[in-house]
Structure formats: C-alpha cells, structure tokens
C-alpha cells in the first residue's frame, strides 16, 4: 500500500533524534510538509537538511513541549508560515529512571510535564485548525511500559498510561470533526533512550522479545505513516503496539 500525504502539514515533536527523526523523514518521503520540532533547534535543523537532501519539504523549530506559552507561539508561527497543522505526532519524551523510594519530586514532575502535559499542550494548540478543516490525525507515542509497568519507571509508566487515557478521551471528543486520535506503544527500540541502559539489561530485554531483536525507529515510523494517512480514516481511540511481541 502506498500512503500519499499530499502536501499535508505535519508537526512532529522531538523530531531531532530517534523515533521522531524517523517519523519526520517517513512522513516527508510520503509527501507531507513537516514542521520538525525539537528542544534543540540544531537537531531539528539537521533533520530538515536530511529531508531536503532526499527531495522532501521540512522546516525546523526549537520547542520545549512542556512550555505551554512556547507551544502556543510556535504553533501560531507554523500556522502563519506553513498553514494549519493537519497531522500532529506527539513523540517528545524523556526518562528519568529510579526506584520510587529514591525518586525525586523533580524527576516525577519533569517526566509528566514532557511526556504527558506536552501532548496536552500541542493537541490543544493544533486541534483548532483541524476542527476548522474537518480533517485531522493525532498520533501519540506512548509505550508498552504504560500498559505493563516497569520497576524503576513509575514516573514514565504513569505518564505513558496517562497518555493512553488522554488519547481515548480526545478521540471521543474530536471524532465528530473527522479527526482521529491514536496511540502507538513501542516496545524496546534502539535509540539514544535505550542506548544508555546497561548492556546486560539491554540483552535481557532483547532475550524476552519473541522476535529476538530490538525494534528500529523505522518500525515505529511505518505504523505512524499509516495512521496519518487517509487509509486509516476509520481507526480512532486505539493503542497499537510495535514491540516484536514483547507484550501479548
Ligand atoms: P530519544 O532518542 O531520546 O529522542 C527524543 C527526542 O525528544 C530528542 O530529540 C529529545 O531532545 C527530544 N526532547 C526531549 N525533551 C523534549 C522536550 N521537552 N521538548 C521537545 N523535545 C524534547 O528518544 P526515542 O527513543 O526516540 O523516544 C521517542 C518517543 O518514543 C518518546 O516519547 C519515548 O518515550 C517513546 N518510546 C521510546 C521507546 C524506546 O525503546 N526507545 C519505547 C517506547 C516508547 P534532546 O536529545 O535534546 O533531549
């Protein structure tokens, strides 16, 4: 199946690295005009260059998704420079792992602010133009950890589980405007986020995956492209895992 995004305006948060970078590139390859947003403007700029070199169209923006004022300002700028956002991918995420007994309030708050409130900030800012257009796609990058929990990640699991509840509620609110809202729950994907784990821990995760390998950012990007396309127009409020069978 060829999914053609026909010059639709897409915004990808955390698009400067890992899964977000692969998603931004895949959407651009399929014809979207992509606003690549990242905490560090230079990382976004690098991905924009890669997209342009491959013949696609993209623009870079520095954006901290946890800062609601900044989100409103950048979304307004994107609307005036490119047009209303039609495809939103809430991908930016961080981990700050430790056992609950040692977890600081700051580590709990920051993980919630980026992974969960970031999605609220962006969705609220972008859904107005989607409502006007009567077409939209919102794709939230959750995690299998939000469904199964993980020792040392109570903050991250809470944020990712919260994102699933957020996805389903907003899907119900926006369905009448022909806007679909879905979550992707990746398993263990090879990016900077998982590279920082102890090699023995990494091996133990891979050993527990039926397909016996870590996923790639491109594995996640393929599903994201499908959910962003017209072909996925009757799928909303769903959580779809890309995890090599890690959680069944
Ligand atoms: P990554 O390689 O660390 O990339 C995350 C990107 O988000 C980085 O470019 C990072 O910028 C950016 N970012 C961090 N905080 C931000 C903020 N406040 N505002 C905007 N951008 C911000 O991580 P990844 O593995 O690609 O993860 C992408 C998403 O997938 C996350 O939501 C993650 O929770 C989820 N996920 C990942 C896995 C996995 O195994 N990798 C599994 C399940 C779910 P800096 O580099 O400058 O910090």
């Amino acid at each position: 199946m060829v999914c053609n995004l026909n010059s639709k305006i897409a915004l990808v948060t955390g698009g400067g690295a890992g899964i977000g970078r692969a998603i931004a590139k895949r959407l651009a390859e399929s014809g979207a005009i992509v606003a690549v947003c990242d905490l560090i403007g230079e990382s976004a700029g690098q991905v924009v260059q890669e997209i342009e070199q491959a013949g696609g169209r993209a623009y870079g923006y520095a954006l901290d998704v946890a800062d609601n004022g900044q989100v409103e300002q950048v979304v307004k700028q994107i609307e005036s420079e490119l047009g209303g956002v039609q495809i939103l991918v809430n991908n930016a995420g961080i981990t700050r792992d430790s056992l609950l007994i040692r977890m600081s309030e700051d580590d709990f708050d920051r993980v919630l602010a980026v992974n969960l409130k970031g999605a609220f900030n962006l969705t609220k800012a972008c859904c107005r133009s989607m409502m006007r257009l009567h077409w939209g796609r919102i794709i939230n990058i959750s995690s299998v950890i939000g469904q199964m929990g993980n020792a040392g990640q109570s903050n991250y699991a809470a944020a990712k589980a919260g994102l699933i509840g957020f996805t389903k509620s907003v899907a119900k609110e926006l369905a009448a405007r022909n806007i679909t809202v879905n979550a992707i729950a990746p398993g263990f994907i090879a990016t900077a986020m998982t590279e920082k784990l102890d090699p023995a821990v990494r091996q133990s995760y891979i050993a527990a995956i039926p397909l016996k390998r870590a996923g790639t950012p491109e594995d996640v990007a393929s599903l994201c492209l499908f959910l962003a396309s017209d072909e996925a127009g009757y799928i909303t409020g769903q959580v779809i895992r890309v995890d090599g069978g890690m959680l069944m």
Side-chain angles (χ1 to χ4, degrees):
M1 185 194 334
V2 180
C3 298
N4 189 341
L5 299 181
N6 282 324
S7 300
K8 290 210 165 67
I9 310 300
L11 188 166
V12 182
T13 68
I19 294 171
R21 170 173 170 267
I23 290 173
K25 291 174 81 167
R26 185 63 62 87
L27 298 185
E29 263 167 35
S30 304
I33 300 168
V34 185
V36 182
C37 298
D38 205 279
L39 195 54
I40 316 256
E42 287 79 38
S43 318
Q46 176 61 41
V47 174
V48 167
Q49 263 185 31
E50 291 169 16
I51 290 173
E52 285 175 345
Q53 276 160 13
R57 289 173 67 191
Y59 301 83
Y61 300 86
L63 174 65
D64 178 355
V65 298
D67 180 337
N68 194 39
Q70 217 183 91
V71 168
E72 287 196 348
Q73 204 183 320
V74 170
V75 169
K76 262 198 199 124
Q77 190 185 343
I78 292 169
E79 282 174 352
S80 72
E81 289 174 359
L82 313 180
V85 174
Q86 293 159 288
I87 299 164
L88 168 65
V89 184
N90 285 310
N91 163 78
I94 58 165
T95 52
R96 284 199 185 171
D97 299 352
S98 66
L99 294 174
L100 174 70
I101 199 92
R102 287 198 284 270
M103 188 175 288
S104 70
E105 188 181 355
D106 184 54
D107 283 353
F108 188 86
D109 287 347
R110 184 66 189 162
V111 167
L112 269 285
V114 176
N115 293 276
L116 181 55
K117 186 160 174 263
F120 162 79
N121 290 341
L122 265 299
T123 303
K124 192 166 177 210
C126 293
C127 75
R128 295 182 202 112
S129 59
M130 293 182 191
M131 288 166 85
R132 273 197 301 275
L133 289 164
H134 250 262
W135 195 97
R137 297 281 185 266
I138 299 170
I139 299 146
N140 296 322
I141 308 299
S142 178
S143 168
V144 291
I145 302 302
Q147 299 182 303
M148 61 193 265
N150 196 22
Q153 291 198 302
S154 58
N155 51 357
Y156 184 74
K160 294 303 193 184
L163 195 51
I164 290 173
F166 178 76
T167 299
K168 293 180 181 184
S169 303
V170 179
K172 288 184 177 182
E173 289 185 23
L174 298 181
R177 303 292 185 120
N178 195 30
I179 299 166
T180 67
V181 190
N182 290 290
I184 297 178
F188 188 80
I189 311 296
T191 68
M193 186 177 272
T194 46
E195 239 162 57
K196 63 189 178 199
L197 292 171
D198 180 84
V201 173
R202 211 177 320 141
Q203 274 318 310
S204 72
Y205 277 124
I206 292 170
I209 297 169
L211 284 175
K212 295 294 172 217
R213 66 167 176 90
T216 63
E218 290 71 24
D219 288 327
V220 181
S222 298
L223 175 59
C224 191
L225 167 61
F226 175 64
L227 290 175
S229 69
D230 278 324
E231 283 79 0
Y234 200 56
I235 301 173
T236 196
Q238 303 305 306
V239 184
I240 305 176
R241 287 196 282 272
V242 179
D243 70 350
M246 190 174 172
L247 178 64
M248 292 188 192

